[in-house]
Amino acid sequence: MYSLIEKLRDTQELTKKEWIMLIEHLSSAEDNSSVAEYLFAQARTVRRAQYGKKVFIRGLIEISNICKNDCYYCGIRASNKNAKRYRLMPDEIFKCAEEGHKLGFRTFVLQGGEDSYFSDDVLTNIISTLKARYEDSALTLSLGERSQESYQQLRNAGADRYLLRHETANDSHYSLLHPNTMKLETRKQCLFNLKKAGFQTGSGFMVGSPYQTTENLAEDMLFLKELNPEMVGIGPFIPHCDTPFASYLSGSVKMTVFLIALIRLMLPKSLIPATTALGTLHDFGREKGILAGANVIMPNLSPESAREKYTLYNNKLHSGAEAAEHLEMLKERMNKIGYQITIERGDCLCTNTTPNH
Ligand code: 5AD
């Protein structure tokens, strides 16, 4: 196993067979085993060579939980009648950003369901206002699948980055997680379109989603290699009580941190968050993520009333160090493990795109 880890570190590549062997082996290893310690140490060394011990922060603004899609795993799926729906108006979004900028955030992430209210024109107005007010800040969107023209318009309006997880790179697995109105091919096309439009692009997947196999995870790694995204977000699947997957088990924290480390070795310059889902499943989840090679944390800047309603899965964290207003707490927690929160924009070192200013 050590030789596969070294091969990945040295060549940033493995074959599908090798991925399966390595992931299979890790799934039966403890996270304090010597192979795990070795993997994490290699990932930290690679991350340190690129980004030092900095942890970038992003202020997450959850702009709407209205969604036309019906993904089987997601708490804000269209057919969940128990979800209390909300949408932030542009002025409310501006207020969140103002608060966030005062707190020291220099990246804002507008994330939401696929809500038709947020047309290209509405978003263009929001983007250009935010970019004019906060010239020193980056703007990230995470608003699902849109047309190439739409992505281009949002990019031209000044948005810098876009997050769109592929969720799983296997066709039949994709169709077990989504209704047949949604296609993996479309999702992949959107990701390539985002890159073409000049966005720093983020993708990723859930770890331990229902029906996921080791082969699927190997395929996720191969797809990420092909896409070569600037950002990769992965987190454990966590069931939501009002979805078809209510009774499925959560993904494991251990497998998530192993995969974070492997992604760091495969894409050394990538920006990898220690996600909220990781923090939700384990008190020390974010720290574990950082110690496995992650270098981003995305505290919540949404208004209190929105936070409760943006429930993608059960028990989603939105207080404590997860809350943007408790940045001091997060800083202390990172310092304790030898890392420092920084307020830089934190663009990807690998970006081919010129940041919008
Ligand atoms: N558990 C974990 N992550 C989830 N997401 C959606 N539902 C869940 C869930 N039940 C993730 C998806 C999506 C991101 C915004 O949240 O990967 O892309």
Side-chain angles (χ1 to χ4, degrees), residues 151-299:
Y151 288 147
Q152 194 63 63
Q153 184 175 330
L154 304 179
R155 171 71 185 142
N156 294 346
D160 304 276
R161 312 181 186 135
Y162 203 105
L163 306 175
L164 179 70
R165 291 186 179 176
H166 65 278
E167 312 296 359
T168 171
N170 178 284
D171 252 316
S172 36
H173 187 219
Y174 195 91
S175 66
L176 292 167
L177 302 181
H178 303 95
N180 60 16
T181 46
M182 294 175 74
K183 294 271 176 271
L184 176 59
E185 206 186 308
T186 315
R187 182 62 58 109
K188 286 184 173 174
Q189 191 58 57
C190 284
L191 284 162
F192 288 106
N193 288 345
L194 284 164
K195 291 193 79 174
K196 252 186 260 159
F199 280 105
Q200 295 178 44
T201 302
S203 194
F205 55 90
M206 288 175 291
V207 180
S209 59
Y211 313 109
Q212 185 178 62
T213 62
T214 303
E215 184 179 4
N216 294 157
L217 288 172
E219 291 163 329
D220 287 323
M221 300 306 266
L222 292 173
F223 174 68
L224 287 175
K225 184 73 200 169
E226 180 196 345
L227 179 68
N228 192 25
E230 281 83 2
M231 301 163 282
V232 184
I234 67 166
F237 161 75
I238 304 174
H240 184 286
C241 57
D242 296 316
T243 65
F245 291 160
S247 63
Y248 285 76
L249 292 177
S250 291
S252 86
V253 168
K254 186 193 83 171
M255 195 33 112
T256 306
V257 291
F258 283 155
L259 289 162
I260 287 176
L262 294 173
I263 293 166
R264 170 61 63 207
L265 296 183
M266 179 172 75
L267 301 170
K269 294 180 195 290
S270 57
L271 293 156
I272 306 176
T275 54
T276 306
L278 196 53
T280 297
L281 280 193
H282 195 292
D283 289 343
F284 203 59
R286 277 175 298 250
E287 284 89 342
K288 280 174 177 285
I290 298 297
L291 290 168
N295 59 343
V296 173
I297 293 196
M298 300 168 67

